[in-house]
């Protein structure tokens, strides 16, 4: 588990979520987003084959969950074949703990776990200026489009092994719950 001190001094441990923490994670999502949509997305993902339990991570401060990130299955449809990938979907930090580096720690730890589990490509949707510090790049110039037009302009790609993106062109499939 990744351990780092935040600015206020708490010991943050980034680790996989446990089954007993599902309600606490749902509450964290509600408090972070102020709505139920993300809780429903997570519930739908957990019930699908796209859910990757080892990549459902929490930021734990002595038993208090301060943040959450979920990476799930994704794919690139390249002609007749599909190349497996991972989508970084839900990311949340409690409002009172934002701007302490917790989200970045969650993402960095999650990307390292993705790499250690053999995943080679990660996609997300978001502000390129924010995610570029983690190595994400806009996917459109790479020849990768999103199957969802709403996410296309903000879709970003990160290569974990440095070998695939140059040879891939196609459409990225996110799990239905993340569209």
């Amino acid at each position: 588990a990744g351990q780092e001190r935040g600015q206020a001094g708490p010991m943050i441990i980034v680790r996989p979520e446990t089954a007993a923490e599902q309600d606490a994670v749902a509450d964290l999502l509600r408090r972070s987003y102020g709505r139920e949509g993300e809780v429903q997305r997570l519930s739908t993902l957990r019930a699908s084959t796209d859910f990757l339990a080892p990549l459902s991570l929490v930021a734990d401060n002595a038993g208090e969950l301060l943040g959450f990130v979920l990476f799930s299955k994704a794919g690139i449809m390249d002609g007749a074949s599909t190349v497996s990938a991972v989508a970084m979907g839900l990311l949340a930090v409690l409002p009172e703990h934002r701007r302490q580096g917790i989200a970045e720690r969650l993402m960095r730890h999650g990307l390292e776990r993705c790499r250690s589990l053999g995943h080679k490509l990660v996609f997300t949707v978001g502000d390129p200026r924010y995610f570029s510090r983690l190595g994400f790049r806009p996917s459109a110039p790479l020849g990768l489009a999103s199957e969802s037009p709403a996410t296309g302009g903000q879709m970003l790609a990160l290569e974990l092994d440095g070998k695939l993106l140059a040879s891939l062109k196609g459409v990225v499939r996110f799990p239905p719950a993340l569209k």
Side-chain angles (χ1 to χ4, degrees), residues 33-86:
Y33 287 97
R35 57 184 186 254
E36 283 294 311
E38 285 70 21
V39 175
Q40 292 302 320
R41 283 186 181 98
L42 179 57
S43 178
T44 301
L45 273 167
R46 280 191 177 124
S48 77
T49 59
D50 293 321
F51 183 69
L52 297 170
L55 294 172
S56 180
L57 306 174
V58 295
D60 179 341
N61 177 33
E64 180 187 9
L65 300 187
L66 306 181
F68 174 77
V69 69
L70 175 68
F71 295 80
S72 55
K73 291 181 187 176
I76 303 166
M77 295 169 279
D78 185 9
S81 64
T82 300
V83 176
S84 70
V86 177

Side-chain angles (χ1 to χ4, degrees), residues 83-100:
V83 176
S84 70
V86 177
M88 183 174 64
L90 299 169
L91 173 65
V93 174
L94 291 175
E96 63 271 23
H97 292 284
R98 291 184 183 151
R99 302 207 180 280
Q100 297 176 21

Side-chain angles (χ1 to χ4, degrees), residues 2 5 21 41 44 46 49 51 53 58 67 71 75 83 100 117 120 127 137 143 151 163 165 178:
R5 287 200 181 276
E21 293 171 324
R41 283 186 181 98
T44 301
R46 280 191 177 124
T49 59
F51 183 69
V58 295
F71 295 80
V83 176
Q100 297 176 21
L117 293 170
K120 295 178 177 21
D127 183 345
R137 299 183 291 165
T151 62
K163 298 175 184 159
L165 281 177
L178 293 181

